[in-house]
Amino acid sequence: MARDLTIGRGSPLKRLTTFRLSSSLVLILTALLVIILANSPAKDTYFAILDLPIKLQIGHFNLFRVHGHDMTLAQFANDVLMVLFFLHVGLSIKEEMLVGELSSIKKALFPVVAALGGITFPVLIYLMVCHKEPGIHGMAIPMATDIAFSLAVLTSIRGVPTQLKTFVASLAVADDIAGILIIAIFYSSGLDFLMLGIAIIILAILYFLGRFGVRDLWIYGLGLLFVWYFFLRSGIHTTISGVLVAMMIPAKSTYNTRQMVDLLRSRLALFPESSQRCSRSGATLLPSSQIEVAQNMMHITSRSVSPVQRMEANLEKLVNYFVLPLFAFVNAGLTFSGIHANEILGIPLAIFLGLVVGKTLGIFLFSRLYLWLTKQGLPNWLHSSELFGAALVCGIGFTVSLFLATLTFEDAPELLNQAKLGIFFGSLFSGCVGYAYLSWHYKKIARKRTAHKA
């Protein structure tokens, strides 16, 4: 299965560690634009846009109608589009558990233990600063690490080894698992067991379809729609449907590499060059018999990539360039006018310190503790300074932190606005300090190497 899962695209984390900055830049620009809008004379128009109703009406049935009300644009982004984000996250988690850094206990322990530190310390530091109602409910917000932004920062620094990026990516995936569990446990209420039971039956059907060799992605997409719909009415947060459906998508391709090559070679023999018709402009037209063969070759090539990876590839641009920017558009509306000086010492400071101090200390100390208890030294690709710098960068909690804040304080706009302040400045500080620290570290190494050669 490992061979099938990695056809043509490399290891699961390789795609993440070679992350391009463009999608992160789109997200940053969107967030900055929204903050400007929320503090400009156009702020009323901006917030009115967030309340626009979203409808998909078929007769008297509106798919996006919840508890007797049509979804607003903000609810649509958080309860519908973010399902696709978590589907994408779930696919990455599944790949890592099958063939990546989380595929065995030995491989997973180091980043998972580091992630546990990055989960525990932010909560403790948050509670030290903000331990009274209603702010105490935001303790989970600084737990998250934004994998895209963290890797974008590391990728922009010359000299960062691939192993360090892989470590951060694995840690962030473990972080995501914790975030998903928190959403499932603490942000679900008023369970309707009939609706939940129907959703579970659909998930079971998807599982057995995969076992029986069904590899058509549209079937799993349709299954996601139904699971999402019944989760929406069951009381379980809808984003969990994305993760669960991701686990049901088969990871084994129809053809392995050897079978694909043999089949393609046999089809290529049916393409004698003399049978092609070429126009004066250079266009090449195939006989009708060869069109069918060419289409069959496309089918073989497609089925040589696992459904998990095909689905992930199909979602990548949609999530990075539409889902997340729209999520940022509806959730990043931080208004400075509504925040008073005494309020900064509550939720904003707790989140800021949780991300900056909690993440850094938790990841660094738990990593060193693990290496000490297992009597292992630091890997040859990792220096203490690099581990500390990576821990700093992991304090960027933007996307999932914003999502957790929205879920926590959706009925308290003032508290949500305070949480956004802590998230933005905590993530910005962690990213900038982490970048500066690691840049200084690798420049120092480069100077030493130059001096040694001289």
Side-chain angles (χ1 to χ4, degrees):
M1 184 177 291
R3 179 176 60 191
D4 292 336
L5 191 61
T6 56
I7 288 174
R9 298 191 67 199
S11 66
L13 285 180
K14 187 174 182 181
R15 299 187 300 281
L16 292 173
T17 55
T18 54
F19 189 85
R20 291 178 296 179
L21 298 179
S22 56
S23 59
S24 293
L25 184 60
V26 170
L27 203 54
I28 291 171
L29 292 176
T30 303
L32 289 175
L33 173 64
V34 169
I35 292 173
I36 293 170
L37 280 174
N39 293 276
S40 73
K43 64 180 181 180
D44 291 337
T45 302
Y46 164 71
F47 287 110
I49 290 172
L50 302 189
D51 289 330
L52 288 175
I54 302 295
K55 297 181 180 181
L56 182 57
Q57 197 86 24
I58 304 172
H60 296 290
F61 173 74
N62 179 15
L63 183 64
F64 302 129
R65 190 172 179 83
V66 187
H67 306 307
H69 301 283
D70 295 336
M71 279 188 180
T72 63
L73 177 62
Q75 290 172 328
F76 177 77
N78 292 327
D79 294 338
V80 180
L81 293 184
M82 283 301 280
V83 174
L84 297 177
F85 170 76
F86 278 93
L87 173 63
H88 193 256
V89 169
L91 292 168
S92 298
I93 291 171
K94 181 165 184 172
E95 287 189 48
E96 286 309 301
M97 293 175 69
L98 288 171
V99 298
E101 295 300 312
L102 304 180
S103 60
S104 68
I105 294 177
K106 184 177 180 181
K107 283 185 177 181
L109 268 179
F110 188 33
V112 167
V113 169
L116 286 175
I119 291 168
T120 306
F121 270 60
V123 172
L124 293 176
I125 289 178
Y126 183 99
L127 292 176
M128 288 172 62
V129 177
C130 188
H131 50 270
K132 295 181 180 178
E133 295 281 352
I136 191 173
H137 298 295
M139 70 177 106
I141 295 170
M143 286 174 41
T145 294
D146 192 303
I147 187 169
F149 278 121
S150 299
L151 290 177
V153 169
L154 292 178
T155 301
S156 66
I157 301 171
R158 181 176 295 180
V160 176
T162 301
Q163 295 96 323
L164 185 64
K165 298 176 191 175
T166 302
F167 170 73
V168 169
S170 304
L171 186 159
V173 168
D175 239 341
D176 284 339
I177 295 172
I180 289 163
L181 290 174
I182 287 170
I183 293 169
I185 295 169
F186 296 105
Y187 296 103
S188 301
S189 60
L191 294 183
D192 185 324
F193 289 99
L194 174 61
M195 297 292 104
L196 180 59
I198 295 172
I200 292 172
I201 290 172
I202 296 170
L203 286 167
I205 291 171
L206 293 177
Y207 171 78
F208 284 110
L209 287 174
R211 296 287 292 180
F212 289 125
V214 175
R215 299 292 184 266
D216 298 292
L217 295 185
W218 69 268
I219 291 178
Y220 297 97
L222 184 62
L224 174 63
L225 176 63
F226 282 106
V227 174
W228 165 82
Y229 178 80
F230 288 108
F231 264 44
L232 184 66
R233 281 149 180 78
S234 72
I236 301 289
H237 198 274
T238 55
T239 52
I240 304 303
S241 64
V243 179
L244 292 179
V245 170
M247 296 299 128
M248 300 302 111
I249 297 174
K252 188 175 181 181
S253 57
T254 305
Y255 308 109
N256 61 35
T257 307
R258 182 180 295 276
Q259 291 171 329
M260 177 188 70
V261 172
D262 290 341
L263 287 168
L264 290 179
R265 281 175 177 166
S266 66
R267 286 357 180 233
L268 284 171
L270 301 175
F271 279 88
E273 190 174 340
S274 59
S275 66
Q276 297 176 358
R277 293 176 294 168
C278 297
S279 68
R280 292 180 180 179
S281 62
T284 301
L285 301 177
L286 297 176
S288 57
S289 59
Q290 290 186 358
I291 293 174
E292 186 177 345
V293 176
Q295 291 173 337
N296 181 250
M297 291 174 68
M298 292 170 61
H299 174 80
I300 292 169
T301 305
S302 173
R303 293 309 176 95
S304 298
V305 179
S306 72
V308 163
Q309 287 187 307
R310 282 192 284 131
M311 178 71 85
E312 188 182 17
N314 291 343
L315 285 171
E316 192 164 359
K317 288 185 178 179
L318 177 65
V319 169
N320 288 335
Y321 295 102
F322 177 69
V323 172
L324 290 180
L326 184 56
F327 169 80
F329 179 81
V330 303
N331 290 291
L334 168 65
T335 55
F336 296 106
S337 60
I339 298 176
H340 303 289
N342 61 323
E343 294 173 341
I344 294 175
L345 300 179
I347 293 172
L349 181 63
I351 293 175
F352 179 89
L353 293 178
L355 289 172
V356 175
V357 180
K359 275 288 181 184
T360 305
L361 287 181
I363 291 170
F364 184 79
L365 294 178
F366 268 53
S367 297
R368 295 311 304 255
L369 180 64
Y370 167 78
L371 295 172
W372 179 71
L373 290 175
T374 57
K375 298 181 179 180
Q376 299 179 37
L378 282 168
N380 55 16
W381 52 266
L382 184 65
H383 188 272
S384 286
S385 298
E386 292 170 305
L387 179 60
F388 184 77
L392 271 170
V393 171
C394 287
I396 304 173
F398 188 75
T399 304
V400 180
S401 289
L402 265 181
F403 188 64
L404 289 171
T406 302
L407 294 180
T408 304
F409 298 124
E410 61 181 339
D411 296 325
E414 291 184 3
L415 299 183
L416 177 57
N417 197 53
Q418 293 175 30
K420 290 176 183 179
L421 182 67
I423 293 167
F424 287 140
F425 282 96
S427 297
L428 182 63
F429 188 88
S430 294
C432 291
V433 174
Y435 176 87
Y437 182 83
L438 286 174
S439 295
W440 168 80
H441 171 75
Y442 286 112
K443 284 178 182 177
K444 185 174 71 171
I445 290 176
R447 284 196 299 268
K448 285 183 178 179
R449 287 174 180 168
T450 303
H452 180 72
K453 288 180 181 179

